[in-house]
Amino acid sequence: MNFASRLTRACRLLVLLLAAPSGCAPLFEHLSFPETPLHRTNSGVFYDTNGQGKANFAILADESGKFDILAYDDTGNGNFNRTYRLSDYRNEDVPHLVILLDSIPYQSLVDRMKAGDFYWFDQPPQKVIPPFPSLTEQIFTKIAGAPPLPGMTADFYDTHTNTGQWGIARRIAGYEPPWEKRCDYDLTFYNSLHSYIRPSDWYKAELARAKKAFDNCPNRVCIVYFTSTSGLLSKYGQAGAVESLEGVQRLCLQALYERQGAVKISICADHGHNLVRSKNFSLDPYLKEAGFKVSGWLGGPQDVVTDMDGLLTYIGLHTHQPAAVSDALVKHEQIEFCTYLDKHEVVIRSAKGVAAIECHAGNLRYTPTTTDVLNYQPVIDALKAANKLDAQGYASPEDWFSATLNHEYPDAPKRLWDAFHGMTVNPPDVMLQIRDGWCVGPTALELFITMASTHGSLNQINSATFVMSTTGRVTGPMRSKDIMNTIEPGYQLPLRH
């Protein structure tokens, strides 16, 4: 059976699984901590944790205005008889709850913190730039320090054996990628599929299940991963981001309340989301129009194999003619640009022209060959003015990162270079950036969800996410791969199951 046939079967199987009655089963688990405080003042935030109508727990401001004091009223007389300071607990002496969220844009968290959420975090969240493509499996592999995955997506083309691999079937059968085995809690693949249909219900259940996993965790560092936040963003867009952050805030508050503050909490996400409704389209007519054949394997020079996963602003193609395939696709409105490897350089091709990225001795150079595809000329000028470019135009990855952190395409030189050099065992020959407002993926998924938001591409909104921590160790922006060593220096995530 060829890869195209397997992909069709996989889509049909997904439809059956999503339509299964278990996906409609009631979910009873939920957190017990109140959803909202009784009231809030400049001196503290007050909660009724026992349902008696008056505050028996509060997080109070200290002399400097920092929300550092946990206060408890055990007698019910309206006076707090026990207090603890969060700052009294040393990092190495208390459990560390590490929360991995799927699909939260950096700006969404910044907005919630400006509105007063996560007020006990004494340091601001820091921007995180993930690898490209902005896909969950690849990013959490980097965060967890796990070995590279065989393909960019679950279903992928094995370039070494010239065969398609049906990864979705493996996941359904129970296979977990290495990064998931480093988590103390994560939803099964079968249930994660259903979480896209009923994300709010599943998220409430996931919060309770993650809290239980933390309570029972035998290790000081406990890693919990939430997949249902991806469903919330995909189905509800910005409203889903708000719901996601409100829920995880409640989990944090319950952990602080039950443990008298004797816990450190770090929260991060894998990638951003574009927060715009997306229309699915197919590349097949464009490829056929140009004389290419969408196939299950690379037999002849005109064959093209697609790696497809979800409804995304990214897709990978395998072909013997990457330049020709790119030329055929970039003229269509949905394609922002294509990128491919040509000998010693990564080529970025748009409808307007070509740019290239080269690497020498670990440093990177971006060259507008015929046009400045990434609009990086101001960046190049700034690096040159700061003496950050050498005589050949190369700069260090760190300097590119700092100079492009808030650019439309953050950290593009390293992200695009790495995508073709070790990111995965079988990188596609061509990687496409799809314009926001469009997406590519199996049409069968549209029977269950209309994408209010999606992700995958190189740009800022698809990419940028966050990390924040009560450990005091998060002091600046970073790449995804640096998160764990920042919040837990030198810690090696063990295989949990």
Side-chain angles (χ1 to χ4, degrees), residues 252-419:
C252 295
L253 287 167
Q254 185 156 345
L256 291 171
Y257 167 72
E258 292 183 357
R259 295 179 181 240
Q260 289 80 51
V263 58
K264 298 296 179 179
I265 301 173
S266 297
I267 311 174
C268 69
D270 49 358
H271 52 71
H273 245 244
N274 62 19
L275 305 179
V276 297
R277 188 170 296 276
S278 302
K279 182 179 180 181
N280 192 15
F281 76 101
S282 174
L283 292 174
D284 292 9
Y286 301 155
L287 291 167
K288 292 176 182 176
E289 177 186 58
F292 293 101
K293 176 185 176 184
V294 180
S295 180
W297 64 296
L298 296 182
Q302 303 305 111
D303 288 337
V304 176
V305 183
T306 61
D307 284 352
M308 191 177 295
D309 185 15
L311 299 167
L312 303 170
T313 54
Y314 158 86
I315 190 170
L317 307 177
H318 298 268
T319 173
H320 291 304
Q321 302 185 68
V325 167
S326 297
D327 281 343
L329 294 177
V330 294
K331 64 183 180 181
H332 296 284
E333 63 171 322
Q334 300 96 335
I335 313 301
E336 191 164 355
F337 58 75
C338 301
T339 184
Y340 58 90
L341 187 63
D342 183 13
K343 298 179 182 177
H344 63 282
E345 62 183 23
V346 171
V347 176
I348 312 164
R349 186 181 295 261
S350 72
K352 295 181 179 179
V354 175
I357 295 168
E358 298 165 280
C359 184
H360 175 70
N363 293 329
L364 296 158
R365 177 170 67 184
Y366 169 79
T367 304
T369 308
T370 64
T371 192
D372 186 3
V373 178
L374 298 180
N375 301 315
Y376 260 25
Q377 191 58 53
V379 175
I380 295 172
D381 294 341
L383 288 170
K384 186 180 297 183
N387 294 317
K388 300 293 186 179
L389 292 180
D390 66 17
Q392 287 73 44
Y394 288 87
S396 71
E398 292 72 24
D399 287 334
W400 280 113
F401 178 84
S402 299
T404 62
L405 179 65
N406 299 313
H407 190 274
E408 181 183 6
Y409 302 110
D411 201 25
K414 181 164 179 58
R415 296 170 73 199
L416 291 175
W417 184 264
D418 287 352

Side-chain angles (χ1 to χ4, degrees), residues 396-463:
S396 71
E398 292 72 24
D399 287 334
W400 280 113
F401 178 84
S402 299
T404 62
L405 179 65
N406 299 313
H407 190 274
E408 181 183 6
Y409 302 110
D411 201 25
K414 181 164 179 58
R415 296 170 73 199
L416 291 175
W417 184 264
D418 287 352
F420 291 96
H421 297 88
M423 178 78 171
T424 184
V425 177
N426 296 280
D429 297 300
V430 180
M431 302 184 200
L432 276 63
Q433 163 132 335
I434 309 301
R435 293 188 188 277
D436 290 329
W438 299 91
C439 63
V440 179
T443 56
L445 297 180
E446 295 181 285
L447 296 173
F448 302 94
I449 187 170
T450 298
M451 300 299 287
S453 178
T454 188
H455 64 94
S457 74
L458 188 74
N459 68 18
Q460 183 80 216
I461 189 63
N462 279 253
S463 304

